[in-house]
Amino acid sequence: MTIIVNLDVELAKKKMTLTELSDRVGITMSNLSNLKTGKVRAIRFSTLEAICAVLGCQPGDILEYREE
């Protein structure tokens, strides 16, 4: 099982930089960068909620399940 993080896709759709998202959400650049590159093993619902609120998207737009 693989979870793919499509944060970069949503950022591109909104024409927003990671820095701008970091400022709006209040999450450090390093944490967002780790999330974007899929280096995290967990994400808090509050973090996911804040990202979705700023990007105007659903959690399923950011997270995708793929079978290996």
Side-chain angles (χ1 to χ4, degrees):
M1 159 176 98
T2 303
I3 301 294
I4 306 298
V5 180
N6 293 315
L7 182 57
D8 55 342
V9 174
E10 290 303 310
L11 285 169
K13 285 181 186 176
K14 304 299 182 195
K15 297 181 173 140
M16 186 181 297
T17 65
L18 201 60
T19 303
E20 188 177 354
L21 180 63
S22 174
D23 290 341
R24 288 187 181 189
V25 175
I27 298 170
T28 65
M29 280 288 296
S30 61
N31 284 341
L32 282 177
S33 182
N34 285 338
L35 178 61
K36 183 177 143 186
T37 58
K39 293 180 181 175
V40 296
R41 299 190 51 80
I43 183 171
R44 290 185 176 153
F45 282 149
S46 59
T47 300
L48 188 57
E49 180 181 6
I51 292 170
C52 288
V54 169
L55 294 177
C57 65
Q58 295 294 314
D61 297 329
I62 297 173
L63 302 175
E64 175 186 348
Y65 168 79
R66 288 188 195 162
E67 288 189 40
E68 293 186 65

